């Protein structure tokens, strides 16, 4: 079907080579059809060509949305909000700076002639009203009324924000902010000027929303009007510099917030625009067909690709890049630029002109290097918001679309030869994924999608290309074939040098997604193998019991037989896990390279500038520090510590020390093997150092697992033991929290019924459980995690159950560990309080259990910030004065987190030297 679209729309077609008019007869027929439609003019893109035709765009063309939400508008909105916050912060905390700035401006403007002031005020007052009206008339004449509607909506919203800001500054803002934004009115000394100009902010919002700032002439007029108005208002004393800045920021921010909320008019070029643009550069197109109309291609940043037939000559491949598609993935690229080092990232903000020039440069450079790349024969702009790149038609299929049997060794070698040609001229492709490698009809490999590449690339980028291509080919042909083909072309040394770059963060986004998908499939196969082995073991045991003829059934089962059966079942499960365990692709590639070059470097290169965990730790720590500082500013520590009861401080120290013995008991209770108790206590002391440099829930698990492995426990069993301890501890934690919460709720009630707060908390937990079990996505997520946990933990728990003394040790250790921490916190409270401020043990236990749970969930090392804030707020909520709660929490954290760091470091080094860690 062929359509002639009148709405902004993208042509949709097929990439099947057999359906394209490649023969001379077919091209002649297509040209005749094109001549029949000649002589008509484009309705809205006539400025792109002086003489155009009604262009035929093949395929059912879906209508594009009339409006789009641009990430650039969101970014400007966030920048505006941040600027307003910074302005308020400066006004609040830099009172001397704001006052000095106002005095300097008043002194400088006070010498202006009165005539100039009057002329500027009159001109700005008239222009501030006439300029928006003139632009609206100009837009209406060009039938662009939607922009005017957007501007009016932005102006109304800006006026509402202005009124709200004026009310807040007058009624609730700190005095320093009010002084920075207002001053006595010249007409009435008892009245203040407006903090935000009620007419100027809506005008700025209107002008920004309608796009005046993107038109040079109107932009010049706009700036002149704003400067004149600001000058006249400052000189006459009706405003302050900070008020003018705030007015501009509010108008600008509200405008972009409105544009992002309602969307901007979609100005993406249509198929007709493309055809007219081709005629402007000398081609005579007949029809165009979209190469890829999938959702991924439509929402990607690689541009829309068209197959274009001409009246005479071979067909063309045309790529159209518009501002909307270029903005796709902006936030992802910005995050990569923030977290990764500069050589590993690409520019997140690039103009269309820069993108056009970069792709053209890379296309010419690749061909000059001898690589097979699409030949660029023309480039052009398609209006202000799009560009096109015209290539000779190559045809063929991408590597991703080839069948497995079509990926031969010869094809792999040809691919590496093309990359070798680029690397010989120091050209980095930067995106060697399966959709960027095309195999044409003759079997030749063509490298496409060169837009993100670099010339004069460094060694690290070239090695990243090799690592990426190894992974891409390994996903299709296997690690062995991918490495063998690379070594045959590049040599073993070049391939070995890429191993430090063989890490997920150095690969493309699509490749990482594929690797994650395979990892999930691999984990699912391992779980199924474990479940099948367990089922077979149980079936074999039942069959063996049926075959045995036992005329007399003993009163009590034979314990040795039961243990033997359980050991056999566990051994079968372990064997099934070992058989089902598969190496991931990157590990397979490393092993294949190391077999060729055993001395190759394997330590991953540091590509991250800042890790997400570090960034989150910094943010959470800053929030916690701010909260603590605000709590501590009102406390007189000299008087407080002079009145402290040091007996309770010593008791808190003893309870803190006893917690390490309890932690060792809670771990060894789930380890059937014999492990030295004293050394286990030392490992728990070493954990106080580890949790400072890693989240508590992560560092402690890793250290205990490593310790058990060094103590002679098999790796799988060590992980299962630590997992069983963590799982059982979680269950005890929840039960104790509910029990102590219930007891706390009954303390202030005449009967033993809990308070409404406790009932509300239990109902909230019940609702959350129901939500998780009713939502399919959440239920699947929870079931998957629990199943993977129980796959190794349950057999380990069966071993522990055969030794009641071990189980009692583990349970007793967990209860003792919780009791030690609760008593340490209670002693810290009593050290700074008296009988009138003491709390019940149940209340202290509830506060501790809640704070400890949040600390384990927080991404900060040791739960810094989160635990302090939660404990302080919790103690205040249960009735403890703030003057006692804050120092009590500080003492508790000092004894349980900070003071044990030095002994923990000594213990960690000692155990490491002894080979225990």
């Amino acid at each position: 079907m062929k359509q002639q679209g009148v709405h902004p729309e993208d042509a949709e077609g097929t990439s099947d080579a057999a359906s394209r008019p490649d023969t001379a007869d077919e091209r002649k027929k297509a040209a005749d059809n094109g001549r029949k439609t000649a002589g008509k003019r484009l309705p809205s893109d006539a400025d792109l060509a002086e003489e155009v035709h009604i262009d035929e765009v093949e395929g059912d063309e879906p209508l594009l949305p009339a409006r789009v939400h641009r990430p650039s508008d969101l970014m400007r909105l966030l920048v505006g909000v941040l600027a307003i916050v910074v302005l308020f912060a400066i006004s609040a905390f830099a009172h001397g700076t704001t006052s000095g700035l106002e005095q300097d401006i008043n002194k400088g403007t006070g010498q202006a002639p009165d005539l100039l002031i009057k002329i500027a005020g009159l001109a700005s007052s008239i222009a501030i009203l006439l300029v928006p009206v003139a632009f609206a008339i100009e837009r209406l004449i060009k039938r662009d009324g939607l922009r005017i509607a957007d501007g009016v909506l932005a102006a109304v919203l800006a006026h509402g924000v202005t009124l709200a800001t004026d009310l807040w500054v007058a009624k609730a803002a700190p005095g320093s902010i009010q002084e920075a934004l207002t001053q006595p009115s010249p007409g009435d000394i008892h009245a203040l000027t407006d903090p935000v100009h009620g007419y100027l902010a809506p005008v700025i919002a209107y002008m920004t929303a309608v796009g005046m700032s993107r038109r040079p002439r109107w932009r010049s007029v706009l700036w002149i009007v704003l400067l004149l108005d600001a000058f006249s208002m400052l000189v006459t004393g009706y405003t302050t510099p900070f008020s003018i800045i705030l007015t501009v920021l509010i108008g600008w921010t509200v405008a972009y917030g409105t544009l992002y909320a309602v969307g901007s008019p979609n100005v993406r070029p249509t198929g007709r625009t493309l055809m007219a643009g081709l005629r402007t550069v000398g081609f005579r197109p007949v029809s165009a067909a979209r190469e890829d109309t999938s959702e991924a291609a439509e929402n990607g940043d690689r541009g829309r690709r068209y197959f274009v037939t001409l009246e005479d000559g071979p067909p063309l491949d045309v790529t159209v890049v518009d501002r909307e598609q270029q903005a796709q993935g902006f936030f992802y690229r910005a995050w990569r630029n923030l977290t990764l080092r500069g050589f590993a990232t690409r520019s997140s903000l690039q103009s269309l002109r820069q993108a056009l020039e970069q792709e053209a440069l890379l296309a010419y450079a690749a061909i000059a290097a001898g690589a097979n790349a699409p030949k660029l024969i023309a480039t052009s702009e398609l209006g202000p918001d799009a560009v096109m790149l015209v290539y000779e038609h190559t045809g063929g299929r991408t590597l991703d679309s080839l069948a497995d049997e079509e990926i031969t060794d010869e094809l792999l070698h040809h691919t590496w030869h093309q990359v070798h040609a680029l690397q010989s001229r120091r050209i980095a492709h930067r995106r060697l994924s399966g959709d960027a490698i095309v195999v044409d009809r003759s079997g030749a490999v063509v490298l496409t999608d060169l837009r993100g590449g670099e010339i004069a690339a460094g060694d690290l980028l070239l090695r990243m290309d090799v690592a990426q291509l190894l992974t891409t080919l390994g996903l299709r042909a296997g690690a062995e074939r991918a490495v063998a083909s690379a070594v045959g072309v590049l040599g073993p040394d070049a391939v070995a040098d890429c191993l430090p770059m063989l890490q997920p963060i150095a690969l493309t986004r699509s490749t990482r997604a594929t690797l994650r998908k395979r990892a999930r499939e691999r984990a699912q196969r391992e779980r199924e193998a474990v479940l099948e082995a367990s089922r077979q073991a149980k079936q074999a045991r039942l069959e063996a019991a049926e075959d045995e003829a036992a005329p007399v059934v003993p009163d009590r089962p034979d314990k040795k037989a039961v243990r033997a059966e359980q050991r056999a079942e566990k051994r079968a499960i372990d064997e099934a896990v070992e058989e089902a365990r598969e190496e991931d692709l990157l590990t397979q590639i490393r092993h294949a390279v190391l077999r060729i070059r055993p001395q190759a470097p394997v330590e991953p290169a540091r590509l991250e500038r800042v890790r997400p965990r570090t960034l989150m730790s910094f943010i959470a720590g800053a929030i916690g520090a701010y909260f603590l500082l605000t709590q501590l500013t009102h406390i007189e520590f000299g008087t407080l510590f002079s009145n402290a009861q040091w007996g309770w401080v010593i008791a808190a120290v003893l309870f803190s020390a006893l917690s390490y013995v309890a932690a060792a008991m809670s771990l060894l209770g789930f380890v059937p093997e014999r492990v030295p108790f004293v050394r286990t206590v030392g490992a728990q002391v070493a954990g106080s150092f580890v949790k400072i440099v890693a989240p508590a829930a992560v560092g402690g698990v890793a250290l205990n697992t490593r310790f058990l492995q060094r103590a002679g426990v098999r790796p799988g069993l060590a992980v299962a033991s630590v997992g069983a301890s963590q799982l059982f501890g979680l269950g005890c934690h929840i039960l104790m929290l509910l029990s102590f919460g219930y007891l706390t709720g009954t303390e202030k009630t005449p009967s033993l019924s809990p308070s409404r707060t406790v009932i509300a908390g239990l109902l909230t937990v019940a609702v959350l459980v129901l939500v998780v079990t009713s939502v399919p996505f959440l239920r699947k997520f929870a079931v998957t995690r629990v199943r993977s946990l129980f796959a190794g933990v349950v057999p380990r728990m069966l071993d522990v159950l055969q030794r009641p003394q071990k189980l009692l040790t583990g349970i007793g250790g967990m209860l003792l560990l919780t009791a030690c921490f609760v008593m340490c916190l209670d002693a810290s409270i009593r050290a700074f309080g008296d009988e009138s401020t003491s709390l019940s043990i149940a209340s202290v236990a509830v506060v501790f259990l809640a704070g400890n749970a949040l600390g384990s969930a927080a991404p900060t090392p040791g739960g810094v910030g989160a635990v302090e804030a939660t404990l302080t707020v919790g103690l205040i909520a249960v009735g403890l004065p703030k003057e006692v709660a804050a120092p009590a929490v500080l003492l508790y954290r000092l004894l349980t987190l900070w003071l044990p760091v030095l002994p923990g470091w000594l213990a960690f080094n000692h155990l490491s030297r002894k080979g225990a860690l």
Side-chain angles (χ1 to χ4, degrees):
M1 177 180 179
K2 298 182 180 181
Q3 293 184 353
Q4 300 166 358
V6 295
H7 184 78
E9 51 196 13
D10 294 67
E12 182 179 56
T14 177
S15 59
D16 187 5
S19 64
R20 293 174 176 167
D22 288 338
T23 65
D25 293 339
E26 289 174 333
R27 287 198 299 269
K28 184 175 182 301
K29 182 178 180 181
D32 293 338
N33 292 334
R35 294 187 187 98
K36 294 178 182 179
T37 62
K40 297 185 179 179
R41 192 169 182 80
L42 293 174
S44 59
D45 300 302
D47 54 335
L48 296 177
E50 296 183 0
E51 183 179 357
V52 295
H53 303 264
I54 287 293
D55 304 308
E56 295 185 345
V57 183
E58 297 180 358
D60 295 328
E61 298 181 349
L63 294 180
L64 291 175
R67 289 179 172 268
V68 291
H69 302 278
R70 295 177 175 174
S72 58
D73 293 337
L74 179 59
M75 284 299 300
R76 292 186 178 97
L77 168 64
L78 297 178
V79 170
V81 172
L82 179 62
I84 293 174
V85 172
V86 171
L87 180 66
F88 280 131
I90 295 175
S91 302
F93 299 107
H95 179 66
T97 302
T98 58
S99 300
L101 180 62
E102 290 181 13
Q103 293 175 3
D104 293 340
I105 292 177
N106 292 333
K107 183 179 180 180
T109 57
Q111 302 176 358
D114 292 339
L115 180 61
L116 177 61
I117 295 173
K118 292 180 180 179
I119 293 176
L122 179 63
S124 62
S125 300
I126 297 174
I128 207 74
L129 298 176
L130 290 182
V131 170
V133 175
F135 186 80
I137 294 174
E138 188 258 351
R139 288 289 90 197
L140 290 174
I141 292 175
K142 294 188 176 182
R143 298 181 180 180
D144 196 7
L146 286 178
R147 288 186 184 272
I148 304 302
D150 295 341
V152 172
L153 177 60
V156 172
L157 294 176
H159 184 66
V161 174
T162 298
L163 294 178
T165 305
D166 289 345
L167 182 63
W168 175 75
V169 172
K171 301 295 184 181
S176 56
I177 293 181
Q178 191 177 80
E179 292 179 8
L181 298 177
T182 62
Q183 62 182 9
S185 177
D188 185 1
I189 59 175
H190 299 289
L192 297 177
T193 59
D194 293 333
V196 184
H197 301 291
Y199 69 91
L200 188 57
V203 170
I204 293 174
Y206 169 83
M207 293 177 174
T208 305
V210 298
M212 289 182 64
S213 59
R214 293 194 295 268
R215 301 175 182 271
R217 295 180 180 178
W218 289 102
R219 182 171 61 242
S220 301
V221 174
L222 173 62
W223 277 108
I224 292 173
V225 170
L226 292 178
L227 291 176
L228 282 176
D229 185 77
F231 173 76
S232 62
M233 295 288 288
L234 282 173
V235 171
T236 54
Y238 280 99
T239 190
T240 66
F242 280 83
S243 176
I244 292 178
I245 297 174
L246 179 61
T247 300
V248 174
L249 288 176
I250 287 179
W252 190 74
T253 303
V254 171
Y256 284 111
T258 304
L259 289 178
Y260 185 76
V262 303
S264 302
N266 198 339
V267 294
R268 298 176 70 175
T270 65
R272 289 182 172 185
T273 308
L274 167 65
M275 306 288 270
L278 288 172
R279 290 191 178 90
T280 62
V281 292
F283 296 101
R284 301 169 63 185
V286 175
S287 63
R290 279 288 300 275
E291 291 284 339
D292 189 358
T293 58
S294 63
E295 182 179 356
E298 191 66 29
N299 297 327
D301 61 347
R302 301 180 58 192
R304 290 168 291 154
R305 300 180 180 183
Y306 291 86
F307 172 79
V308 179
T309 58
L310 304 177
E311 292 185 7
D312 52 356
L316 304 173
D317 290 330
V318 182
T319 300
V320 176
V321 182
D322 56 63
R323 199 174 301 277
E324 300 305 325
Q325 283 195 309
Q326 189 191 29
Q328 294 292 336
F330 170 80
F331 295 108
Y332 169 76
R333 294 193 298 271
W335 173 252
R336 297 269 292 182
N337 287 335
L338 175 65
T339 56
L340 300 186
R341 298 180 183 272
F343 62 83
T345 61
R346 311 175 193 175
S347 175
S348 59
L349 191 61
Q350 194 179 46
S351 66
L352 283 172
R353 169 64 64 176
Q354 291 173 330
L356 177 68
E357 293 174 349
Q358 183 176 6
E359 185 163 355
L361 175 63
L362 265 296
Y364 292 137
I367 293 176
N372 290 336
K375 184 177 180 181
L376 183 66
I377 57 179
T379 60
S380 177
E381 292 185 349
L382 296 178
D385 297 314
V387 296
M388 71 172 180
L389 299 100
V390 184
Y391 294 93
E392 288 185 352
H393 176 61
T394 57
R397 293 177 293 165
T398 63
L399 183 69
D400 288 340
S401 63
L402 295 178
D404 292 340
E405 58 272 11
E406 296 180 276
I407 302 178
T408 62
D409 292 339
E410 182 181 4
L411 176 62
L412 300 181
H413 280 83
H414 285 172
T415 305
W416 284 111
H417 277 297
Q418 302 308 313
V419 175
H420 179 63
L422 293 181
Q423 301 213 342
S424 65
R425 300 295 179 88
R426 313 294 297 182
I427 300 174
H429 189 283
R430 302 296 302 272
R431 199 183 180 281
L432 287 170
S433 54
D435 55 354
I437 302 172
V438 176
V439 182
D440 64 14
R441 296 189 183 100
S442 63
V445 175
V446 181
L447 299 181
T448 64
D449 197 17
L450 292 162
R451 187 183 315 140
E454 290 189 20
I455 62 172
D459 290 337
L460 290 176
L461 288 180
L462 300 180
R463 290 156 60 188
M464 288 176 67
D465 267 2
V466 176
Q468 171 64 52
L469 188 56
L470 276 174
T471 308
T472 299
L473 298 181
L475 288 171
R476 296 305 314 274
E480 295 289 344
R481 292 178 61 193
V483 172
S485 60
V487 170
V489 176
L490 303 180
D493 294 331
V495 178
D497 288 341
C498 82
L499 287 188
M501 300 294 166
L502 199 64
Q503 47 185 309
I505 197 171
L507 306 177
T508 64
R509 194 175 187 178
S510 59
T511 304
R512 294 199 303 273
T514 304
L515 291 176
R516 287 195 297 268
K517 180 181 177 181
R518 290 201 171 191
R520 290 192 296 268
E521 295 173 352
R522 187 169 59 252
Q524 180 64 27
R525 289 194 295 269
E526 292 180 2
R527 287 193 294 269
E528 292 175 355
V530 170
L531 295 176
E532 179 63 21
S534 177
R535 188 190 64 80
Q536 291 180 358
K538 293 179 181 178
Q539 183 67 26
R541 187 167 65 248
L542 292 176
E543 293 177 354
E546 292 176 355
D547 294 339
E548 292 179 357
V552 178
V553 179
D555 296 334
R556 299 179 61 184
D558 189 357
K559 292 184 177 180
K560 293 183 178 180
V562 172
R563 291 178 182 177
E565 292 175 355
Q566 291 175 346
R567 285 194 296 269
E569 181 179 355
K570 184 167 67 66
R571 186 165 52 252
I573 293 176
D574 292 340
E575 292 175 355
V577 171
E578 292 295 332
E579 293 178 0
R581 183 172 290 116
E582 305 175 24
E583 291 183 338
D584 63 277
L585 178 63
L586 299 185
T587 303
Q588 295 176 22
I589 294 175
R590 290 191 192 96
H591 290 169
V593 174
L594 290 175
R595 283 193 288 269
I596 300 173
R597 278 288 185 271
Q599 70 277 16
V602 295
E603 186 69 21
R606 178 68 183 275
L607 301 180
E608 292 176 303
R609 179 186 288 117
V610 56
R611 297 182 179 180
R613 187 182 67 191
T614 304
L615 185 61
M616 294 186 65
S617 299
F618 174 78
I619 295 174
I623 296 174
Y626 173 77
F627 177 83
L628 289 178
L629 289 176
T630 56
Q631 295 293 323
L632 298 178
T633 52
H634 304 290
I635 300 175
E636 297 180 1
F637 283 97
T639 305
L640 189 67
F641 280 101
S642 64
N643 298 329
Q645 303 181 38
W646 293 100
W648 284 111
V649 174
I650 296 174
V653 173
L654 295 178
F655 284 125
S656 176
L658 183 60
S659 65
Y660 296 101
V661 178
M665 293 172 57
S666 65
L667 175 63
L668 294 182
F670 297 91
V671 183
E673 293 81 3
R674 182 178 295 277
V675 179
F677 181 78
V678 176
R679 184 165 287 187
T680 306
V681 175
Q684 305 313 303
V685 176
S688 62
F689 165 70
V690 174
K691 67 182 180 182
I692 287 296
V693 296
V698 177
V701 170
L703 184 137
N704 286 329
T705 303
R706 179 70 171 174
F707 170 73
L708 293 180
Q709 292 178 6
R710 288 291 188 177
V713 182
R714 292 176 54 187
L717 299 180
V719 174
S721 294
V722 176
S725 175
Q726 293 289 320
L727 181 62
F728 202 91
L730 176 62
C732 289
H733 194 101
I734 295 174
L735 290 177
M736 286 188 291
L737 181 60
L738 295 176
S739 301
F740 283 115
Y742 183 89
L743 294 176
T744 303
T746 61
E747 288 178 352
K748 298 181 180 181
T749 56
S751 62
L752 292 179
S753 60
S755 64
R756 294 182 178 180
T757 304
V758 175
I759 296 176
L762 295 176
L763 290 177
T764 302
V765 174
V767 169
L768 291 177
V769 172
L770 290 176
V771 169
V772 172
T773 55
S774 60
V775 178
F777 169 76
L778 296 177
R779 183 174 64 250
K780 182 179 179 182
F781 177 83
V783 170
T784 302
R785 295 298 183 272
V786 172
R787 183 181 297 172
S788 61
L789 180 63
F790 274 87
V793 170
V794 171
R796 196 61 167 168
M797 290 295 297
L798 294 177
D799 292 341
V800 174
L801 290 175
Q802 303 305 315
R803 300 183 179 183
Q805 69 276 13
K806 280 284 185 180
L807 186 61
L808 291 176
T809 301
I811 297 175
M814 288 179 180
L815 296 177
L816 179 61
L817 180 62
T818 302
C820 287
F821 283 128
V822 171
M823 296 305 298
C824 180
L825 180 58
D826 182 70
S828 300
I829 295 172
R830 296 176 183 274
F832 297 104
D834 51 27
E835 293 298 330
S836 62
T837 59
S838 62
L839 299 175
S840 66
I841 293 297
S843 300
V844 177
V846 169
V847 173
F848 161 74
L849 292 170
N852 188 56
L854 183 59
S856 300
T860 56
V864 175
V867 173
E868 289 84 355
T870 304
L871 292 179
T872 305
V873 172
L875 291 176
I876 294 174
V878 296
L880 194 67
K882 179 175 64 176
E883 293 75 11
V884 178
V889 170
L890 289 180
L891 175 61
Y892 168 77
R893 293 291 282 172
L894 184 68
L895 297 178
T896 58
L897 179 67
W898 298 111
L899 286 183
V901 171
L902 180 58
W905 178 72
L906 297 175
F908 185 85
N909 288 330
H910 174 73
L911 293 176
S912 298
R913 287 194 302 269
K914 295 294 184 178
L917 285 180

